[in-house]
Amino acid sequence: MSIKGFQGTSLLDFPGRIASLVFWGGCNLTCPFCHNPALVLEPEAYPDLDPTELLADLATRKSFIDGIVVSGGEPTLDPALSGFLAEVKSLGLAVKLDTNGLAPQVIGELLDRRLVDYLAIDLKTVPGRYPELHTGAVSPEKLLETIQLCNRAQVELEYRTTCVPGWVDEEVIMALGGLIDGAPLWVLQQYHPEHALCEAARATIPYSPERVRSLAELAGGHVHRVMVRGL
């Protein structure tokens, strides 16, 4: 695992803040509908970024950015993540972490050390289907542990679900809603198949905007706020 990309600034990826995006290669899932397949399947094809040089670059950006977004791939697989984030926090920058939630022990440490200000957790489908999302072993119980951690965490929190036909429907939304009942924010995203990891997923026709909005309406019965992105 290593830092593979550093690009521009974004407001959408870190709501209310201007942030630089930092990407990690490698993942503990190989979701057929993944939108960053190259980072998952061929991380070695991308050059590694030196953390010291990256931190120096971030230091020069402090005057016009509020923080960084750490995404991937799956950043929590890197044992050096907490040390890197501690250095970022020492610069006075906020941190948003994008994660699939399958490493509760790592997420718990980051929260205990207050190294994350905003946590975005992907909910792919019902936990019982998570073993279908990887060629290796997956423990859905780890996701449930992370959800329990987040119930107590003093951090800005966002759950998000991409509305992939065949993986997310009304029944799935109701089941996931029961797991995160009372959460502050659940973002439902339109599925864009053109960059998906698997050929069959690239051929999948997305839901209509009306269907996505109806799923969002169902989701709204479980959380304080629902947002829809990508329509």
Side-chain angles (χ1 to χ4, degrees), residues 13 16 23 32 59 70 90-91 93-94 108 131 144 154 161 166 169 178:
D13 291 278
F23 294 93
V70 176
S90 73
L91 294 174
L93 295 172
L144 302 180
Q154 299 298 310
T161 300
D169 58 16

Side-chain angles (χ1 to χ4, degrees), residues 101-102 104 127 139-149 179:
L102 293 177
S139 298
E141 296 80 10
K142 299 295 185 182
L143 175 64
L144 302 180
E145 287 181 42
T146 294
I147 292 172
Q148 289 300 312
L149 274 175
L179 293 177

Side-chain angles (χ1 to χ4, degrees), residues 11-35:
L11 188 63
L12 176 63
D13 291 278
F14 201 160
R17 300 172 176 90
I18 298 173
S20 291
L21 310 181
V22 182
F23 294 93
W24 258 253
C27 193
N28 49 359
L29 292 176
T30 45
C31 303
F33 45 82
C34 175
H35 68 284

